[in-house]
Amino acid sequence: MSLYTLYRRWRNPLRTSDGRIEYYNFWNKQPVDEIWFTAFLRSRGFFDRYPKTEFVLFSSLGNLNIFRLDVLAHPFSHNRKRLYFNGENNHYPGFASYKHNLLDYNAIDLSMGFDYIDDPRYLRFPLWLLEMFPPESTVDNIKLICENLSHQHWDSSVRNRFCALVSGNRGPNDPGAQRRTRIVQQLNSIAPVDCAGRLLHNTDELHEHYGNDKAAYLQNYKFYICPENASVEGYVTEKVFHAIGSGCIPIYWGSNNNPEPDVLNHDAILFWNPDGDNTALLKQIDELHRNDNLYREFFEQPRLKEEAWQVVAGYFERLEQRLDDLFR
């Protein structure tokens, strides 16, 4: 990308309708007023309480020089608060520029991501929070969402299909695609796996009958294959939460097979070991699939820890407090 292109992108950032917040290297297809952080700031009254503050949010989906341009252009602006949010695996070589969550730059006022980092300018705020909890959520909302996620009831007349995979095809040499392919191949020894995404595609039902509504489509299935693209401590995306939210039993790998231990009930998740022997796990999946009583018992155990809602509410409270301290 040329310097001129970077400069043009920096000169024309994504802005809210009132121009109070700018985004760089974020998800460009989403309207700015609908981005989670815009709604969070607005619902908590930050735009009204701090009318002189300029909010600038950076992410890792682009060239780091955009951030450097912003620092050069506004070297002494105390009202310009720079925030960084990372939803990607920044330990992957493709994100090497962001491996320190921009904490190696003094100009970052608050950095957020999935890593566990002890730094006064850092707040752990993993991506799944944005996917599962609306930005305007109150404590009561959070408690209700957690309750609905955790306690579900199986209807065998509806959820009677074996297993699904919905995954994009990242190329035959991509480790994530190879890992998902091996899982599907081994599960096919129990019953055929329906693959509705580009990877191993063998059904058009998701598109033709469900309008690409994945949650509605997965309500037919007992199990859902939802590994991460990499196993890094703390790197937990929306995948396992989408499986739980759709009512499937997750077949998961990631975060050293210890995802969000203070939120998720690991007894309600089936953990895949891509480098080991999964014979016992395959036998368990086969038994659950063929025995309705066993499946119901596994399915109806709490999906989340009892204190999960308090953990999530704590994330929201800490974010609001950190932003309040920063802007004040």
Side-chain angles (χ1 to χ4, degrees):
M1 187 177 295
S2 69
L3 285 176
Y4 177 67
T5 301
L6 286 171
Y7 177 74
R8 285 187 61 190
R9 183 171 295 180
W10 173 79
R11 287 285 296 175
N12 299 280
L14 299 172
R15 288 192 176 96
T16 57
S17 56
D18 57 11
R20 291 294 310 284
I21 187 168
E22 300 174 2
Y23 287 93
Y24 298 94
N25 297 337
F26 257 74
W27 301 283
N28 291 336
K29 293 183 179 179
Q30 188 175 12
V32 178
D33 285 334
E34 297 178 9
I35 292 178
W36 195 95
F37 290 101
T38 304
F40 183 88
L41 290 166
R42 184 163 285 145
S43 67
R44 264 63 180 177
F46 280 97
F47 293 119
D48 297 326
R49 278 184 285 159
Y50 304 103
K52 295 182 179 180
T53 301
E54 299 173 359
F55 306 88
V56 192
L57 277 90
F58 298 88
S59 192
S60 52
L61 300 178
N63 196 305
L64 180 62
N65 284 323
I66 287 184
F67 167 72
R68 292 170 174 153
L69 276 172
D70 190 78
V71 175
L72 287 172
H74 303 278
F76 306 113
S77 178
H78 297 293
N79 288 328
R80 192 173 180 84
K81 301 301 181 183
R82 297 182 180 91
L83 316 177
Y84 171 74
F85 174 74
N86 173 44
E88 304 293 333
N89 174 22
N90 58 343
H91 299 278
Y92 183 73
F95 294 100
S97 300
Y98 297 95
K99 65 180 180 180
H100 299 299
N101 292 279
L102 292 192
L103 290 170
D104 41 347
Y105 292 91
N106 293 331
I108 281 294
D109 296 293
L110 179 65
S111 175
M112 297 167 282
F114 68 85
D115 281 305
Y116 293 95
I117 299 174
D118 184 14
D119 189 290
R121 293 180 297 143
Y122 183 79
L123 176 67
R124 185 173 189 266
F125 206 82
L127 176 65
W128 58 266
L129 288 167
L130 280 63
E131 290 282 338
M132 304 307 297
F133 298 91
E136 65 277 2
S137 295
T138 64
V139 172
D140 288 341
N141 297 145
I142 291 169
K143 192 171 184 179
L144 180 60
I145 292 171
C146 288
E147 178 69 19
N148 291 336
L149 285 172
S150 189
H151 300 288
Q152 303 182 38
H153 300 283
W154 177 46
D155 183 350
S156 60
S157 66
V158 176
R159 194 176 297 279
N160 52 21
R161 302 184 190 178
F162 172 50
C163 183
L165 170 72
V166 181
S167 176
N169 188 350
R170 300 167 65 92
N173 297 322
D174 177 75
Q178 293 173 351
R179 189 175 301 111
R180 289 173 175 84
T181 298
R182 288 194 296 269
I183 295 174
V184 169
Q185 289 171 342
Q186 294 190 50
L187 288 175
N188 277 336
S189 65
I190 300 172
V193 176
D194 292 338
C195 301
R198 291 191 300 273
L199 181 63
L200 304 176
H201 182 83
N202 60 15
T203 174
D204 295 321
E205 191 175 13
L206 172 60
H207 172 69
E208 293 182 352
H209 297 288
Y210 292 92
N212 288 325
D213 185 339
K214 186 170 73 172
Y217 173 71
L218 291 179
Q219 289 177 6
N220 298 293
Y221 290 90
K222 297 178 181 178
F223 305 96
Y224 181 53
I225 301 169
C226 55
E228 304 289 358
N229 291 321
S231 184
V232 177
E233 183 184 10
Y235 178 56
V236 181
T237 64
E238 75 288 351
K239 294 178 176 64
V240 66
F241 287 92
H242 279 178
I244 292 171
S246 64
C248 298
I249 292 176
I251 300 175
Y252 181 79
W253 170 83
S255 191
N256 300 325
N257 275 356
N258 186 35
E260 304 299 341
D262 54 352
V263 173
L264 295 171
N265 175 18
H266 290 179
D267 291 337
I269 300 172
L270 298 171
F271 289 99
W272 192 271
N273 181 357
D275 301 316
D277 185 1
N278 289 288
T279 301
L281 177 61
L282 288 167
K283 181 180 178 181
Q284 181 184 14
I285 294 172
D286 189 20
E287 290 174 346
L288 290 172
H289 175 49
R290 301 184 190 284
N291 188 318
D292 286 355
N293 291 329
L294 283 178
Y295 185 85
R296 182 186 298 277
E297 182 180 353
F298 192 100
F299 180 93
E300 293 188 351
Q301 61 185 318
R303 304 296 189 96
L304 306 185
K305 294 287 187 68
E306 185 176 350
E307 65 277 10
W309 69 271
Q310 295 171 306
V311 176
V312 174
Y315 278 117
F316 272 67
E317 181 181 350
R318 286 190 293 275
L319 177 57
E320 183 171 2
Q321 186 62 56
R322 293 289 293 274
L323 290 172
D324 209 35
D325 292 344
L326 175 65
F327 299 148
R328 186 171 59 242

